[in-house]
Amino acid sequence: MVRYSLCFVLFFLVTQRFVSCEDLTETQINKLCEDLNIATCDQCIQAHPDCAWCAVPLSGAKIKRCRTHRKLKQLGECPSDQIKFLESTTPAKNDTPLSEPSLSQLGPVVQLQPQVIQINIRRGDRVKFNITFRKVTDYPVDLYYLMDLSHSMLDDLKTLQRLGQSLADDIKTNVTSNIQMGFGTFVDKVMMPFASTVTEQLQNPCAKNQEDNVCAPPFGFKHQQSISDQVEKFRTSVANTTISGNIDSPEGSFDALMQIAVCGDKIGWRADATHLVIVTTDASFHMALDGKLAAILEANDMKCHLSKGANPNLPADTVYDKSKYLDYPSIGQLRAAFKDNKIQPIFAVTKEVRSLYEELRQLIPNSYVDELANDSSNIIGIISAAYNQLRGKLDMSLDENIPPEISLRYRVLCPNRTDWKNNSLSCDQIQIGSEIVYEFEAIAEGCPSQNIMRPLTFTSSSLQEDVKIFFNFLCNCECSKHPVVSSVNCSTNGSLVCGVCECDSGHEGAQCQCIQTQADVSLLSQCKQNGENNDDICEGNGVCECGTCVCNEGYRGQFCQCSSKGCPTSNDGICGGADKGTCENCDGIAKCNCKNGWTLHPEIQTCNCHDDLCKANVTSDVLCSSNGECDCNRCKCFNDSTIYSGQFCDVCINPVCKPVVECEGTSMQSCAQCVNEAQRLRENQNEKCFDKCADIDYTLLTSIPDCTNCFDSSCSKFCEDIDVNIAAPKDCQAFLANSECTVQFDIVWRKSTNDYQLLVKEFDKAQDCPQPINPLLIVLPIVAGIVLLGLLALIAWKIFQTMRDKREWLSFENEMKQSKWTKGQNPIFEKPSTRFENPTFHGN
């Protein structure tokens, strides 16, 4: 399936930055142009703006017809006259010079240059072009005076009639001498509820007004004087105007403005003049959908409907004859009419409604609003100020005909400025003779289905001139339009199109030299790896010659499915260089086959690694001391390097791979005994124990900390380097030679050295040697034993005596109970109480 390179519509997902073809490197552009899926000249020139096509009739699959234009010329394989290269250009089809500010030359006024531009642009390319504007002096002006004739404007009409001839003269003096004027008036639709439909009111809407009982019949819009330089006609039209009246406050100014805009022939607008309409009113305006109040449902058609005698009450006047049938125009319709007909409105309104018209000015470009005196006495000043402001400002615009395939950027350099205004087409404070430069950049993001010359208009509502811009998309080669039928280069069995054969039915091959043996079996299917289900012929890497794939340079295989390209590349070349490996890219699976002892780099997958760098001895075949695997020039030790380390995994760092260490009968015990004895005898341990402690890391400590249960800060600092998980500490004890004293030592695993360490406790006679017997330990137990025996004897005697007395008492009690004594008075017994009588008491 043919692939097109969309280099100009790439976007980054994070920044969404526009990437154009100019951002590509030369290598990337070459790759785009030399894409093997490009089979025609049209596809080639659409791939990138720098691509060119070689149209010479050549055979063979190795010919690359599509290359960059510069590369095709450098290689010299293609004659210069056969190189098809289209270049984007911006020729000006109409380039009349700008008029001088004094307008001294003859002919029409020219303020925009060029007038017509044709952009010939290739897909993905960008072109720049400029348009210049020059302000000329005394540019012709057409002024149409539109007046509100509702009864509230009576004083304004009298003022206008009083000015008469002097109005036009003052405008010429204060505004511009090259001016022509027209005149018209408006009231409102002659329908309820906008105006009274009573017969009396239709004849004279002011009949009940005692101040002025003569008024003109109401009307929508009346065109009284076409634009001309005949001042007397203007004065006469104003003088013959009579005030009118209606019911509601809003007026029908929009109906009048629409007719003034679209009835150019009847109004008298000049093609080479600035079109100004001044509206004088003291009321607001009706707009679209207000017509429903009078049952008017048809929208305004934006067409001219001025005719004479349409109003039976005004048979001799030219009036708007669809006032009763069409709704008021919308603001959008009015804006479009002003833009299409180059009209700039000036709203001279009273103070009460100025804010409303200020908002309207925001919606209508190149419009102007000023405050009107109650009697319109300042009308000359308003016209002069509006003209000066409008002529000093220029708002250019582009219509909606920008092709969807074109992305357009622009900026402007205004007078008296040194910097450009991006994305703007507006300038102000423009003086006579000022020049404005507009710069455009067009980018073709695609090709249209039909290359139609679609004009884009660049203009302003304040100018009668415009610039037409035509886009011609260069998406097809000219030779594609003129095929050579039955060409001899195609064996007369096909057409030659830009050097490539398009074979007739039943013929195939680069030169149409092959004939299908069966009508329903294509020779091309024999060149497809998956038969008819595959769209790629020879996998896109060659051409099919009569059912056999002829591969392009660098490809091989029955279907050209294998290539020596596409494999990972390092600084030394593809697969690390030809001396290190070869590339095998078949069916889209690319891999490097390393040779001469080189191996794949795990990250970049090129042959940049060699096994010899993983050998401790180059003459040996052992890699990484059999304790690891070779990973691109470096040994990767087994078990995540927790057992062996070192450049060649030859250093043991775990008890698993070290000899078993015990407390007794080992060099650790001998070393500990020697160090303890040397310290006890105050000798140099290193000298005395040099032989016994060879290759043993020992430390002499006052006390050996318990690192398996360490909560003290003094021991935690020492135990930080002790790993109790890899090897549990061994608490050992041994007797010193020719002595009853012992030595305490521990065997622990040290993290920093990844090896065992011997901890030897310093000699302490009180702790490590047996002590003489203390006499007190003999005497005191004997004395304590004698005293204890005496106390026990006394306690036993006391218990015996108590039990004997108790037994004697019980025997006495029994004898007393058995004896019989004589019962009588005890002679020595006296009663405890005595009774006496009072001799003097005689009562009861």
Side-chain angles (χ1 to χ4, degrees), residues 703-818:
S703 61
I704 299 176
D706 183 7
C707 292
T708 60
N709 188 21
C710 179
F711 300 101
D712 189 359
S713 59
S714 60
C715 79
S716 61
K717 183 176 181 181
F718 177 82
C719 292
E720 286 180 356
D721 197 35
I722 305 301
D723 195 336
V724 298
N725 296 319
I726 293 182
K730 293 186 177 182
D731 299 328
C732 304
Q733 180 177 331
F735 286 98
L736 295 174
N738 302 321
S739 174
E740 295 182 354
C741 298
T742 60
V743 56
Q744 304 290 333
F745 62 95
D746 274 17
I747 303 173
V748 297
W749 185 266
R750 190 173 180 182
K751 296 178 184 178
S752 58
T753 61
N754 287 317
D755 202 351
Y756 288 110
Q757 184 180 29
L758 177 65
L759 305 181
V760 182
K761 178 180 172 299
E762 292 182 355
F763 176 77
D764 187 343
K765 183 177 181 181
Q767 296 179 6
D768 301 335
C769 297
Q771 301 296 324
I773 299 175
N774 191 342
L776 292 177
L777 296 178
I778 299 176
V779 174
L780 288 178
I782 295 175
V783 173
I786 295 172
V787 173
L788 180 60
L789 291 174
L791 289 175
L792 293 175
L794 287 175
I795 292 172
W797 179 83
K798 182 64 177 174
I799 292 172
F800 172 76
Q801 188 65 30
T802 301
M803 293 180 66
R804 189 175 66 85
D805 290 345
K806 185 176 181 181
R807 189 170 55 254
E808 290 288 340
W809 172 254
L810 292 175
S811 178
F812 171 75
E813 284 183 338
N814 291 329
E815 290 177 357
M816 290 296 294
K817 292 178 179 179
Q818 295 177 0

Side-chain angles (χ1 to χ4, degrees), residues 222-495:
K222 179 166 58 175
H223 172 53
Q224 298 180 222
Q225 172 61 44
S226 298
I227 294 174
S228 71
D229 57 355
Q230 299 179 19
V231 179
E232 182 60 28
K233 286 185 177 183
F234 178 82
R235 186 193 66 78
T236 301
S237 298
V238 174
N240 293 335
T241 300
T242 304
I243 201 70
S244 184
N246 63 329
I247 297 178
D248 64 344
S249 176
E251 313 295 0
S253 56
F254 275 20
D255 271 347
L257 288 171
M258 178 59 73
Q259 295 304 301
I260 292 171
V262 299
C263 298
D265 295 339
K266 296 181 179 180
I267 299 299
W269 297 116
R270 289 181 291 174
D272 58 347
T274 297
H275 299 167
L276 301 179
V277 176
I278 181 165
V279 184
T280 58
T281 182
D282 62 352
S284 59
F285 45 82
H286 281 297
M287 57 182 178
L289 300 182
D290 285 355
K292 287 188 175 182
L293 297 174
I296 300 175
L297 304 179
E298 188 174 351
N300 194 284
D301 60 3
M302 299 178 65
K303 295 181 180 179
C304 181
H305 299 289
L306 292 181
S307 62
K308 183 176 290 187
N311 189 331
N313 296 318
L314 302 168
D317 294 328
T318 301
V319 295
Y320 175 36
D321 60 12
K322 293 290 184 180
S323 178
K324 294 182 179 182
Y325 306 102
L326 297 179
D327 194 5
Y328 300 98
S330 67
I331 296 177
Q333 287 178 314
L334 203 60
R335 171 177 173 168
F338 285 166
K339 180 180 179 181
D340 293 342
N341 297 281
K342 312 290 186 181
I343 293 175
Q344 301 176 81
I346 302 170
F347 297 102
V349 298
T350 56
K351 180 179 180 180
E352 292 76 14
V353 294
R354 178 169 182 173
S355 60
L356 174 65
Y357 283 89
E358 287 287 356
E359 294 180 4
L360 179 63
R361 181 178 65 85
Q362 302 298 325
L363 303 175
I364 300 180
N366 294 314
S367 59
Y368 181 81
V369 176
D370 206 345
E371 188 172 321
L372 183 69
N374 291 333
D375 59 354
S376 299
S377 57
N378 64 334
I379 190 62
I380 298 298
I382 291 176
I383 296 174
S384 178
Y387 175 75
N388 289 330
Q389 177 172 324
L390 292 175
R391 75 173 182 174
K393 183 179 180 180
L394 184 62
D395 289 326
M396 302 297 291
S397 63
L398 294 163
D399 61 19
E400 299 178 354
N401 290 331
I402 300 178
E405 299 82 12
I406 290 293
S407 174
L408 196 64
R409 303 172 184 173
Y410 48 81
R411 60 180 183 168
V412 61
L413 182 61
C414 296
N416 302 321
R417 292 192 60 166
T418 58
D419 58 324
W420 293 81
K421 292 169 60 177
N422 293 323
N423 302 319
S424 175
L425 297 175
S426 177
C427 288
D428 52 16
Q429 299 180 355
I430 304 172
Q431 304 297 327
I432 300 299
S434 298
E435 286 193 3
I436 304 174
V437 179
Y438 301 92
E439 183 182 84
F440 295 85
E441 182 182 43
I443 305 173
E445 298 182 353
C447 286
S449 56
Q450 294 181 349
N451 194 2
I452 302 175
M453 301 287 283
R454 294 172 287 188
L456 172 66
T457 303
F458 176 69
T459 187
S460 171
S461 59
S462 62
L463 295 177
Q464 297 304 317
E465 304 171 66
D466 58 30
V467 178
K468 298 293 184 182
I469 305 171
F470 293 87
F471 289 94
N472 178 32
F473 292 89
L474 305 177
C475 295
N476 303 100
C477 298
E478 188 66 25
C479 58
S480 300
K481 304 174 185 178
H482 307 286
V484 180
V485 181
S486 299
S487 172
V488 294
N489 293 289
C490 302
S491 305
T492 67
N493 297 320
S495 301

Side-chain angles (χ1 to χ4, degrees), residues 509-744:
Q511 296 176 310
C512 304
Q513 74 276 23
C514 307
I515 301 176
Q516 293 179 230
T517 57
Q518 299 180 19
D520 58 341
V521 178
S522 173
L523 293 175
L524 291 178
S525 64
Q526 300 178 28
C527 296
K528 298 178 180 181
Q529 191 168 7
N530 296 323
E532 292 293 346
N533 296 326
N534 190 3
D535 291 334
D536 291 332
I537 299 173
C538 300
E539 295 300 307
N541 303 320
V543 296
C544 184
E545 293 290 346
C546 303
T548 302
C549 285
V550 179
C551 301
N552 295 321
E553 182 180 357
Y555 293 91
R556 63 185 183 277
Q558 180 182 356
F559 302 102
C560 304
Q561 75 275 20
C562 297
S563 170
S564 57
K565 301 178 182 179
C567 291
T569 303
S570 65
N571 294 334
D572 297 329
I574 188 169
C575 292
D579 57 332
K580 299 178 181 179
T582 58
C583 176
E584 182 179 347
N585 185 357
C586 293
D587 299 321
I589 302 175
K591 64 178 181 179
C592 290
N593 293 326
C594 301
K595 57 185 180 180
N596 301 328
W598 292 93
T599 58
L600 286 176
H601 190 285
E603 296 179 359
I604 61 176
Q605 293 296 308
T606 59
C607 302
N608 283 21
C609 306
H610 205 285
D611 290 345
D612 286 349
L613 299 177
C614 293
K615 298 177 182 179
N617 186 353
V618 179
T619 59
S620 173
D621 294 332
V622 178
L623 298 178
C624 302
S625 305
S626 299
N627 298 323
E629 59 182 2
C630 187
D631 184 9
C632 193
N633 303 339
R634 289 188 295 180
C635 286
K636 185 176 181 181
C637 301
F638 294 142
N639 298 319
D640 297 329
S641 303
T642 58
I643 297 179
Y644 289 95
S645 70
Q647 180 180 357
F648 304 105
C649 299
D650 53 350
V651 178
C652 176
I653 59 173
N654 194 286
V656 175
C657 55
K658 289 184 177 292
V660 179
V661 176
E662 299 293 345
C663 291
E664 298 180 358
T666 63
S667 58
M668 291 287 186
Q669 178 181 347
S670 300
C671 178
Q673 291 172 332
C674 179
V675 170
N676 184 275
E677 183 179 4
Q679 184 263 334
R680 178 171 63 86
L681 300 177
R682 297 181 181 179
E683 297 178 351
N684 190 317
Q685 300 102 320
N686 296 331
E687 294 179 359
K688 181 176 182 179
C689 306
F690 180 79
D691 294 332
K692 294 184 178 181
C693 295
D695 300 327
I696 295 179
D697 180 15
Y698 69 87
T699 301
L700 190 65
L701 300 173
T702 303
S703 61
I704 299 176
D706 183 7
C707 292
T708 60
N709 188 21
C710 179
F711 300 101
D712 189 359
S713 59
S714 60
C715 79
S716 61
K717 183 176 181 181
F718 177 82
C719 292
E720 286 180 356
D721 197 35
I722 305 301
D723 195 336
V724 298
N725 296 319
I726 293 182
K730 293 186 177 182
D731 299 328
C732 304
Q733 180 177 331
F735 286 98
L736 295 174
N738 302 321
S739 174
E740 295 182 354
C741 298
T742 60
V743 56
Q744 304 290 333

Side-chain angles (χ1 to χ4, degrees), residues 209-224:
N209 193 322
Q210 298 179 358
E211 296 180 2
D212 188 355
N213 55 6
V214 179
C215 287
F219 54 88
F221 165 60
K222 179 166 58 175
H223 172 53
Q224 298 180 222

